Amino acid sequence: MQVNRGTYHFTVEAEGLATLPLTIVVSQQGTYQTEFTTTQPNMEGNSKSNFTFNATLKNRTAEQQLYSLRAQAARGWNVVFKVNYKQATSAQVEPNAIENIQVEITPPATIEAGTYIIPVEASTTATSASIDLEVVITGSYQMELTTPRGLLSSDLTAGDTKRIDLVVKNSGSAELNDIQLSANKPADWEVSFEPATVEKLTAGKST
C-alpha cells in the first residue's frame, strides 16, 4: 500500500470504557520502486574470459517481491544469474530488504575484440530496474598450422623436391601480424617457404 507523507489521526475505542487518540506521522514519502545496482559495471578480458559482476537488488516497496531475472544478450553469449551462490532465474526479496545477485557472463569463443553492452533486468508485474553491464573484449591470440586435408605425412624420394601446401589459420579473436614461417630440419635437408611471412591475418581467416 502506498501512503503519502503527512500526519494521520486515529482513535482506538474500548466500547463503553475509554477512547485513545493516536497520531502517526509519516515523515518520508513511500516509494514503489526497485534498485538494481553494481559498483563495477565494466570488465575487460579476452574472448576466453568469464566475467562475474556482483549486483545488489533492493526492494523499496512495502510488499514482498518475486523478481524475474533476465538478460538481453546477443546470440552466442551465455548469462547466468546466481542467488546465494546458486543458479536462479528469479529472486524473492522482502520489503525494504536487499539481495545480492551474481551475474556471470561468458562471451562467444570467436567474438571479435570490442566493447559490448549486456542489459540485465530484475522485474515484477509492478516494478522493475535494470543495469547495463559493459564487457570489453581485448582479443585472444591463437593460431593453427595444418594442411588443406589435415594430412601431416608424405612420401619423398631421395634427391627429389616436393611441395607441400600449408594452411595458417587465425583461430583467435584478434588480428595477427608479421607471422614468420620456419622449420627445424634434419641435417642436409633444405626447407623453404613461399611466402615465408604472412603480413596480416584477421580473426577467423586462413591463408
Side-chain angles (χ1 to χ4, degrees):
M1 180 178 66
Q2 290 180 275
V3 178
N4 291 327
R5 183 172 56 183
T7 302
Y8 297 85
H9 301 283
F10 302 87
T11 300
V12 179
E13 297 183 357
E15 189 173 352
L17 297 175
T19 60
L20 176 65
L22 294 177
T23 299
I24 296 178
V25 178
V26 178
S27 60
Q28 184 176 352
Q29 179 70 40
T31 63
Y32 207 74
Q33 296 180 349
T34 293
E35 294 179 0
F36 198 20
T37 58
T38 180
T39 57
Q40 185 179 358
N42 173 287
M43 287 191 181
E44 181 178 298
N46 62 46
S47 62
K48 297 184 182 300
S49 300
N50 293 321
F51 303 88
T52 300
F53 295 86
N54 293 310
T56 300
L57 177 60
K58 183 175 183 179
N59 176 11
R60 296 187 61 196
T61 77
E63 300 173 353
Q64 181 189 82
Q65 300 290 339
L66 180 62
Y67 292 95
S68 175
L69 304 173
R70 295 190 298 267
Q72 299 178 30
R75 186 176 181 179
W77 289 78
N78 186 44
V79 181
V80 172
F81 294 94
K82 287 188 176 180
V83 181
N84 293 323
Y85 303 101
K86 294 181 180 179
Q87 187 170 333
T89 57
S90 63
Q92 184 170 287
V93 187
E94 298 297 322
N96 205 37
I98 292 174
E99 186 69 66
N100 294 319
I101 309 292
Q102 279 190 325
V103 186
E104 297 182 355
I105 299 178
T106 304
T110 57
I111 194 168
E112 295 183 358
T115 299
Y116 299 86
I117 303 298
I118 311 295
V120 295
E121 181 184 47
S123 64
T124 71
T125 56
T127 179
S128 66
S130 62
I131 310 173
D132 286 340
L133 300 177
E134 184 180 84
V135 173
V136 179
I137 303 297
T138 58
S140 62
Y141 298 93
Q142 189 169 340
M143 182 170 53
E144 296 176 13
L145 179 62
T146 184
T147 61
R149 295 185 179 181
L151 297 177
L152 301 179
S153 62
S154 184
D155 295 326
L156 176 63
T157 302
D160 285 350
T161 298
K162 187 164 189 177
R163 175 182 177 134
I164 299 175
D165 289 331
L166 300 176
V167 176
V168 181
K169 180 179 180 180
N170 181 353
S171 53
S173 60
E175 182 178 273
L176 298 176
N177 296 285
D178 195 26
I179 301 170
Q180 305 288 330
L181 297 173
S182 62
N184 292 323
K185 55 186 179 60
D188 300 326
W189 285 65
E190 294 294 333
V191 179
S192 62
F193 298 92
E194 179 58 41
T197 302
V198 178
E199 291 185 0
K200 182 173 69 174
L201 192 59
T202 57
K205 299 297 183 179
S206 301
T207 186

